[in-house]
Amino acid sequence: MPDMKKYDLILDALQQLLEEKKIQNISVSEIAQKAGIGKGSIYYYFPSKDAILDALIQRSYETPLQTASNLAAQTDISPFTRMAMLLQACRNSSIAFLKQNNSSSSDASAQDIAYLHQKYLNHVISKLKPDLAEIIKQGVESGEIHFDYPAALAEIVLIVIAVKLDNSLLPSSIEETEDTMRGLISLLEKGTEVKPGTLSYLSFISQM
């Protein structure tokens, strides 16, 4: 059975090294040395440095995402309220990521930052998509939402929100982000045939 203490030591070591140097200059040997364990032990837990980075991102932003998953399962709450909870978690996770990224070492290159952003966005979207799709599906079944492709809609919404909140792939001003969110809300309301104004609460997402 894996030793979770060593698992966390490995993640802690990579996190510390990322504050000191560029990703491409960090080796598995350095991670092992920083963690105080043998290099061979690293491969018992992770097949590669990339896998360690994936696990670090998951651990760093897991709390708000897990909270969203738990709330999404509470079917006694309306689908619109649960959508808001889940997307709020996406926003909170993005804020946490950006704060940590902004406090990282100034030695981080644009390539490093872009790589971390890509990893982060992939994690958030893949983690939240099943929950959001299920909420939309339940809304369809209850007659509150009208849409034939819940999973596709969930993915579209999360991609737009995650990219806009990250604000690195397509840098935008606050006003531009707010315009995008208003457009997304309008499209969602028309596409799912809900009363205009039903999803207006989603405007909070752009308030970073």
Side-chain angles (χ1 to χ4, degrees):
M1 183 177 178
D3 183 336
M4 295 309 295
K5 183 178 180 181
K6 283 188 177 180
Y7 182 94
D8 284 329
L9 282 173
I10 294 169
L11 298 187
D12 290 342
L14 177 56
Q15 187 166 20
Q16 291 170 26
L17 287 168
L18 286 171
E19 294 172 358
E20 301 168 4
K21 56 198 308 183
K22 297 177 181 179
I23 294 171
Q24 65 265 31
N25 294 333
I26 299 173
S27 67
V28 172
S29 296
E30 286 178 295
I31 297 172
Q33 183 178 12
K34 177 73 79 171
I37 62 178
K39 180 180 178 180
S41 297
I42 295 278
Y43 293 109
Y44 175 73
Y45 297 92
F46 302 99
S48 65
K49 181 179 75 175
D50 206 43
I52 303 173
L53 184 59
D54 286 338
L56 176 60
I57 289 173
Q58 180 174 350
R59 186 184 72 171
S60 298
Y61 312 108
E62 192 65 22
T63 300
L65 301 185
Q66 186 57 51
T67 298
S69 183
N70 293 339
L71 290 170
Q74 298 184 25
T75 54
D76 55 319
I77 302 174
S78 81
F80 301 115
T81 300
R82 284 182 286 145
M83 284 175 66
M85 292 173 174
L86 189 147
L87 296 175
Q88 175 72 66
C90 179
R91 177 178 180 272
N92 291 344
S93 183
S94 294
I95 291 172
F97 174 83
L98 292 171
K99 282 183 178 178
Q100 180 166 319
N101 187 65
N102 289 339
S103 64
S104 297
S105 170
S106 59
D107 290 336
S109 66
Q111 184 178 8
D112 284 344
I113 294 171
Y115 183 67
L116 287 172
H117 284 178
Q118 180 183 353
K119 288 280 188 183
Y120 165 73
L121 291 174
N122 179 71
H123 174 66
V124 169
I125 293 168
S126 61
K127 184 72 176 180
L128 292 180
K129 179 182 173 182
D131 291 323
L132 182 54
E134 181 59 26
I135 291 172
I136 295 170
K137 180 181 176 182
Q138 291 169 1
V140 171
E141 292 172 348
S142 67
E144 296 173 86
I145 296 173
H146 303 277
F147 201 79
D148 294 331
Y149 309 100
L153 181 58
E155 184 172 344
I156 291 167
V157 171
L158 289 170
I159 287 174
V160 173
I161 291 175
V163 169
K164 294 306 291 187
L165 292 182
D166 178 83
N167 205 34
S168 63
L169 298 179
L170 187 64
S172 306
S173 66
I174 294 175
E175 291 76 18
E176 289 171 333
T177 299
E178 290 176 347
D179 283 345
T180 298
M181 290 310 306
R182 280 193 287 268
L184 176 63
I185 291 168
S186 178
L187 285 172
L188 281 173
E189 290 179 339
K190 291 177 181 178
T192 57
E193 300 178 23
V194 300
K195 183 179 178 181
T198 301
L199 304 180
S200 60
Y201 60 80
L202 295 182
S203 60
F204 74 84
I205 296 170
S206 63
Q207 298 168 8
M208 295 291 286

